Amino acid sequence: MRIAVSSFGSEGDIRPFAALTRALRAAGHDAFLCAAEMFRERADQAGIPLASTGALRDDSAFWAGLKNVMREPNPLKGARLIFELASRELDGRLQPVLDATRDVDLVVHHAIDVTAFAAALAHGKRRVSAFLAPGIWSNRRALANGNSLGAPLNLVLGAMLRKLFPLMTDKAFRPVIAAAGLKGPKKKIVLEAADSPLMNFLAVSPSMVPPDPAWPANRKQTGYWYLDVPGYEPPAALRAFVEAGEPPLVIGFGSMVGMDVRFQTEVITGAVQRLGRRAVLLSGWGELGKGELPPNIHLADHVPHDWLYARASLVVHHGGAGTTAAAARAGVPQAIVWHMGDQPTWGSLVKRRGLGPPPLHHQKLSVERLAALIAEADRPEVREAARAMGERIRAEDGLGEAVRAIGAFAT
């Protein structure tokens, strides 16, 4: 089959779909990735074709809006602001995605990639949706944060969350539906996108959030989709630092931008020094590491998670879905400093699974609090829980589950 795999957003939204594209191609499908031009390096790294959807919007209004998101401590309000910003990228993505999907047999899309959803509807193509975080479907066994209040309350709260999704997203998504020349849907667009009659995936480990056995046959929880880079060779200086002593802390906030990075770097440096540890500091989109760093902190740019986390003692991160998944598979404790969106939910899930302490909002960062967060994550019982979780997740085959399910639709 010729398959378009489409996603938009940050690094964590793209890597799982790049991994799926590679796995589909390995299974004999003519699959390609639809994503922003800035992810061409990831596509090349994975050895897959990229149908570029152009540049991410980077004007001053966008960055100002992103700073407002980062300053918002209420996750629900922050999510609404995120999707208002997302509407800028969605507007520019639509035509490239329409062009890329004209001659495909199947569209596989992130559930919030409404451009790919609209393109599939406009072209009359079969489609499969995928979500990277729990909560889009009600689950009698667990809430999105891993807690369970019993099946009845779980279902009620899950239904309430489903009602919130459209309130946060419809305003941003409705213009894309109209621009694609479609009459609808005009309401509950994200729920429609995440409910394909064919198949809908939840790419989250059942070891982190158990599936609901009552879900219909077209809802499948596969496990995580990892974009491994088995042939990766790190820069010599990074390898030398990592191997020079005990496994280092790994600290980074991924694609989070718009913060006071000098302040955050000073806090990170102070906490690492206070604990007497070594650390690899990942600069990320926000360009952490500005200023002079002590010799026990090594600054690195992008490093594949599968290489670095396997050599870490503990990971301090922002709580993104992909980063949480990578640290969980590596079997190392996690300390989460959340910034926006669903990150506090992942932080709560990490806490409930015993993989780390309660998450800390980035506006509450201080040397004392970060040092305490790391120390709490470094306890023996947390290490053991993380090790056991890593073993379970490494035994799963999320990509294989997804590829086999998609292969059943071959004609």
Side-chain angles (χ1 to χ4, degrees), residues 9 36-38 53-67 84-93 255 257-258 285 287:
E37 178 63 29
M38 69 175 296
T53 59
L56 290 177
R57 188 70 63 93
D58 61 357
D59 54 55
S60 58
F62 175 85
W63 294 116
L66 196 55
K67 288 181 180 179
E84 287 179 3
L85 287 175
S87 65
R88 297 168 175 267
E89 185 184 349
L90 291 169
D91 180 59
R93 278 178 57 86
S255 55
V257 296
W285 287 16
E287 299 183 343

Side-chain angles (χ1 to χ4, degrees), residues 137-142 151 154-155 202 206 209-221:
W137 307 328
S138 297
N139 185 340
R140 70 193 63 225
R141 294 181 67 189
N154 289 347
L155 290 175
L202 174 60
V209 178
D212 188 332
W215 281 340
N218 69 339
R219 292 182 181 177
K220 185 175 184 60
Q221 185 168 346

